[in-house]
Structure formats: structure tokens, C-alpha cells
Amino acid sequence: MKTTTTIDKIAGFVDREVTLSGWLYNKRESKKLQFLQIRDGTGIIQAIVSIKDVDEETWSAGQSLTQESSLYITGTVSKHPKRDEYELQVKSGGINIIQVTEDYPITPKDHGTGYLFEHRHLWLRSQKPWALLRIRSEVIQAIRTFFYEDGYLAFDSPMFTPSAVEGTTTLFNVDYFGETAFLTQSGQLYGEAGAMAHRKIVVFGPTFRAEKSKTRRHLTEFWMIEPEVAFFDLEDNFELMERMTMYVIEWVLDKCRKELEILERDTSLLEKIKLPFIRMHYDDAVKELNELRKKAGINEEFEWGGDLGSPDETMLTEAHENPIFLHHFPREIKAFYMAPDPDDERVSLSVDMLAPEGYGEIIGGGQRADDEKYVIEQIKKHDLPQEAFEWFLDLRRYGTNPHGGFGLGLERLVAWLAGVQSIRGCIPFPRTIEKVYP
RNA sequence: UCCGCGCUAGCUCAAUGGUAGAGCAAACGGCUGUUAACCGUUAGGUUCUUGGUUCAAAUCCGAGGCGCGGAGCCA
């Protein structure tokens, strides 16, 4: 009776004969021994073919294997003599080849990122992308679990929208039966409608932005988690963000040890993060930034009223171990739906969460403007077509209340937790400006 | 939209106006319980395209294409 299993479950089969199915990841061979590294999607195991243990046919089958050849392989599971891992001792007839692969484009040696993304469909099989996308999957699971257990309703917003959420320059147009529709930039406005029906909702889906950004922090298609809650102020928002972030950090540290190791992530930096996160008023950020700029030898002053550039965020987050809530941004630099601060006309009840180690903004959120007149005024100020927002204004006409939420960029969160430079590897097939293949 | 860098063997790169080369991959051989194994041999080129300067261009200049990084904007 043949026992089949997968590499992730191999520890339960020591001294037993099992059959694995997978691909050859790498090979080392000599006159008497072949070391076959077999990958099956769940992990990698080393199979040993010894010339004294197998017949000629099995030996030459092992010899013929090339990188990414697909096969069934049967052998006895044993402990590695030197390492803390398992291996497979192959016997006669233990190698059953499905296909000998020729000229696999990705070798175990160096490649440039341009080349690798051209071959993204194959590069996914390599160790680091494999680990990174497993972390993404765990982060998604952690976030869904967190909100589910906290009583949030999963609320899906539409992908086709009649209007811009934050300005019209960065929208993708779609021909919608002769009319122009847009791909959504954010599910937030619809999330607000959901919050008025269910109190606590969370939107999770892809969003599209035609920003011509060519940086390692931008994609034209990315996934956002957007909770929205009725009767919810800025302080409630801080508390939700930090609780959720801590939950995800702990989940990933608990479930992704192996993946973090493959990515050579220094996990001590994540382990240092403690509640509460840093609360920093925009006014104080301006002061701190100017001190940091002075220290860095930058003579130019950061002036009150401006938005922080990426270098500013980097400087600020590198100076702290914990994430930073940067709050009360000037009204002028925030979206039309942001609530004004009743105690300080200049600023809004807005917050960005900046991740440490220079990762910068991964969350943007705040309290929403709940006064109909103010929202109309802001729509006009931002040159947006009011008729497209009539339904949104209804939310202010019928039972308005202080409410709020935030938008979390999934890929940016994953990049930070995994400690990778670019967010492009944090999604299976990244979409960037002028890059939609494969 | 703007700024910077790059494009040479299948891949990663070198050659600083004068005979295009190395490592890896491939093929063949050797050696080893090997870990991106190692050693030897062989093969591998329209130097992104295009126009120009020059006795001579991978190299200098112009135009274009593509890629990467960044600014702005944002998650």
C-alpha cells in the first residue's frame, strides 16, 4: 500500500516509505550519490539516491532530472545526519518522472528584478516569492479573523463607480455601455453607507489608481482593508488601528517563522513593538522634522501646512521603534470628506499610521465630515461634481453622526512585516505603470 | 509630468576610442554526505534601435525604445 503525503507533513512519517509529488528544485551529484532537492509547494526536502541502494534505471532517472522537472518520488523518511530537517532515502524504482524540463529560465543564481518580473509566473516557485506570498496570505487571514471576531460585517464595495473618491486625475476610465465609469480608488464612501446599516463594517478588495508613480511603494492595482464605523471618533480610530496592527504582527510572528527566516527578516524589530503606538500631532511633527532635518544637514525648513514627503516620513519613522500616528493634518491637504477639528479650524480629524524602519505611511484614515453643508462646500472646493455624490450626501441627511475609519494598504503592510524593500513582490502579479504582463 | 541611472553571451556583470571577457546556466568529464557544492574542458556575441563624429565606436554626440530608482501624489 503506497502512502502519499506532502513535505509539510513529513515529520509524521519518519522511518516509513512515502511517495511525494513535486518538482526538482536543485541537484548536486557525484559518482556514488545524488542529492535531489524536491519542492512540492508545501516545502523543500532533500532526496538521496545512493548508487549502492538503487538499480541502474533509477540511478539514470535521477541523473536525467533537470531543474523544475516534475516527478513522483518514493523513499524512506529519515532524519538528516547533520541538520535539523528530514530527508528521503530513495530505493529502486523510486523515481517516476512526469516531465524532464528543458532550459528553465530561472537558475539558482542571481537575476535582476526586471528579468524576474518578466518571468513572474515562474519566479513564484522560488523560495523568496514563495515565502513572501505565504506571509501575504497569513496577513489576510489575520485581518479577516480580527475583524470577524470584533463583530465587523464584511461589506463589499463596487469596483465600477460613477465618480472619483479623491480627485479625478488618477482614475482608470472604463466604457460602461456608452457611459464612462471608473474603477474604484477606494471603497470608503460605500463603506460609510454600510456602517450606517450595520454599524461596524470592513471593506476588503482591490483598488485602482492611475497615478504615474514609479516607486517601490506604488502599484496601480492594490488591495485595501477599509473598516468604517458609525459613532466613532478619532481616538476610537487610534485604538482600532493599533489593536489590529498588533494582532497581525503577533499572528505573523506566530505562524510565519519559517517564511520570515527564508526572507532573512530581523524579527526582533517586530518583537519590540509595544502598545500604545506613538501619537504625534501634526504641529509636533513639524517641530520634530525640522530638528531631524537640521541633524541631517538639510537647511530647508519644513513649513506648516505642507504634506510630508516620502523622505520626511522615512526620517521620522527611522527615529522611532513603534509605529507613529500622525494626526490633525491641515485641512487643505486632506480629502473632501475629512472632518474639520471643531477646536482648531486649520486642521482636520485625520490620521496616518507610519510604519517603522522607514517604511512610512501604510494607513490613512480619520473622522468623516458629518455636516451636509460642510460636505457640499468641500465638494465644490475640490471641484467635484455634486450630482455624483448625492447618494453620499443622503448619509448626512438621514441620521448623520460622527463616524470614521481607515484604509490600510495590504501590500505595504506585508512589505513592512516581511522586511522587503519593494511592495511589488507582495502581490502575486504586480501591476505598475506600463507593466501588465504577465 | 519631472529628475537620475542602466541596456554587452540564456542570466549577472567587466572591458574608461585600438583584437569583446569572466562567473553562473548548458554539454562533456572528474571529485565529494553535498547545501547557491567544488574542479577541468567545450560551446555560446547584429554590444537595445537609429543617425552622426572618427583612420578606428560597446565606449563620444543626437533621436527613439525599454527597464530600474526617485520626486510629486498616495495606501
Side-chain angles (χ1 to χ4, degrees):
Chain A
M1 171 84 192
K2 200 166 90 171
T3 307
T4 62
T5 189
T6 47
I7 293 166
D8 55 341
K9 299 193 175 76
I10 207 77
F13 293 90
V14 177
D15 295 331
R16 287 173 61 189
E17 189 174 287
V18 298
T19 298
L20 298 171
S21 47
W23 300 262
L24 185 81
Y25 191 66
N26 201 0
K27 179 170 78 167
R28 284 170 286 277
E29 61 183 320
S30 67
K31 203 157 197 175
K32 297 171 193 159
L33 282 169
Q34 295 167 358
F35 301 98
L36 311 176
Q37 278 189 288
I38 307 294
R39 162 184 96 69
D40 78 343
T42 73
I44 291 178
I45 193 169
Q46 178 165 264
I48 288 97
V49 186
S50 173
I51 203 160
K52 63 184 192 318
D53 293 342
V54 300
D55 56 29
E56 212 171 293
E57 208 178 312
T58 309
W59 179 259
S60 62
Q63 273 185 320
S64 73
L65 286 172
T66 55
Q67 199 189 350
E68 289 304 313
S69 291
S70 47
L71 73 159
Y72 297 100
I73 189 161
T74 305
T76 306
V77 180
S78 63
K79 278 263 197 183
H80 194 290
K82 294 184 209 162
R83 296 184 167 200
D84 184 24
E85 53 191 55
Y86 298 95
E87 48 184 27
L88 198 69
Q89 307 289 339
V90 178
K91 299 215 172 97
S92 285
I95 297 174
N96 185 354
I97 298 171
I98 301 167
Q99 183 192 40
V100 173
T101 290
E102 278 174 43
D103 300 324
Y104 185 68
I106 299 174
T107 67
K109 291 281 177 178
D110 284 339
H111 297 284
T113 53
Y115 180 83
L116 289 170
F117 278 111
E118 286 291 333
H119 297 83
R120 181 61 168 170
H121 51 298
L122 301 175
W123 186 34
L124 293 169
R125 306 177 185 192
S126 298
Q127 280 269 275
K128 287 191 177 182
W130 179 86
L132 194 45
L133 289 178
R134 283 171 69 94
I135 292 174
R136 176 191 169 97
S137 172
E138 287 298 334
V139 168
I140 291 169
Q141 194 61 40
I143 288 171
R144 286 212 151 122
T145 307
F146 171 84
F147 282 110
Y148 182 75
E149 289 185 347
D150 220 41
Y152 282 72
L153 182 97
F155 187 85
D156 302 314
S157 66
M159 296 296 109
F160 290 125
T161 64
S163 58
V165 178
E166 311 181 4
T168 49
T169 53
T170 61
L171 287 164
F172 285 105
N173 299 332
V174 182
D175 175 50
Y176 197 80
F177 304 110
E179 308 260 298
T180 300
F182 306 99
L183 292 178
T184 185
Q185 291 172 302
S186 159
Q188 186 211 308
L189 302 190
Y190 295 94
E192 290 190 36
M196 299 310 140
H198 296 274
R199 191 172 193 105
K200 295 159 78 171
I201 64 96
V202 58
V203 178
F204 177 50
T207 52
F208 308 90
R209 299 200 185 170
E211 293 163 1
K212 300 207 169 165
S213 304
K214 304 202 291 184
T215 81
R216 60 187 162 183
R217 301 173 38 75
H218 289 86
L219 295 167
T220 53
E221 178 182 312
F222 66 98
W223 287 65
M224 269 217 288
I225 294 104
E226 297 175 284
E228 192 71 28
V229 189
F231 303 97
F232 196 74
D233 66 19
L234 194 60
E235 192 52 45
D236 295 329
N237 219 329
F238 291 157
E239 185 267 344
L240 178 65
M241 287 182 195
E242 62 189 0
R243 233 169 11 95
M244 181 208 68
T245 306
M246 279 309 288
Y247 188 88
V248 177
I249 290 172
E250 280 163 14
W251 182 296
V252 168
L253 284 173
D254 178 45
K255 297 193 192 293
C256 303
R257 283 284 163 195
K258 183 175 70 181
E259 288 79 5
L260 292 166
E261 201 176 307
I262 289 168
L263 294 166
E264 296 166 57
R265 174 60 160 141
D266 178 359
T267 52
S268 71
L269 295 169
L270 294 177
E271 280 152 5
K272 273 183 200 158
I273 292 168
K274 295 276 179 304
L275 293 179
F277 294 171
I278 298 158
R279 277 127 168 102
M280 190 183 288
H281 193 287
Y282 178 85
D283 290 350
D284 299 321
V286 171
K287 283 179 209 151
E288 179 160 349
L289 262 177
N290 280 324
E291 277 165 35
L292 288 169
R293 281 191 174 194
K294 226 177 258 172
K295 261 190 222 163
I298 303 167
N299 288 324
E300 213 180 323
E301 284 256 317
F302 182 88
E303 282 187 36
W304 196 99
D307 205 353
L308 279 76
S310 286
D312 297 314
E313 283 184 3
T314 304
M315 247 192 283
L316 213 50
T317 61
E318 277 175 347
H320 299 273
E321 283 182 355
N322 258 355
I324 299 168
F325 290 133
L326 196 50
H327 55 88
H328 288 90
F329 283 89
R331 271 166 49 196
E332 272 68 34
I333 57 174
K334 284 291 169 183
F336 78 89
Y337 49 74
M338 214 60 93
D341 183 348
D343 302 323
D344 184 351
E345 284 247 317
R346 306 169 306 150
V347 297
S348 58
L349 299 177
S350 50
V351 53
D352 282 358
M353 192 179 93
L354 311 182
E357 301 173 62
Y359 279 93
E361 182 178 356
I362 62 170
I363 296 179
Q367 196 173 315
R368 317 306 185 191
D370 51 39
D371 180 68
E372 182 192 352
K373 276 191 195 134
Y374 180 81
V375 176
I376 291 174
E377 200 183 292
Q378 290 299 305
I379 286 173
K380 282 186 185 142
K381 216 175 186 177
H382 284 79
D383 266 333
L384 297 168
Q386 189 182 323
E387 60 280 9
F389 292 95
E390 282 301 325
W391 70 267
F392 183 69
L393 289 166
D394 274 353
L395 305 176
R396 274 73 187 160
R397 291 174 185 135
Y398 307 111
T400 193
N401 63 84
H403 62 284
F406 61 82
L408 163 67
L410 176 68
E411 290 78 13
R412 287 189 181 176
L413 173 64
V414 172
W416 166 43
L417 296 178
V420 297
Q421 283 263 309
S422 170
I423 70 168
R424 290 167 60 201
C426 298
I427 185 167
F429 292 95
R431 294 291 175 249
T432 57
I433 171 173
E434 289 177 25
K435 183 85 184 161
V436 288
Y437 180 91

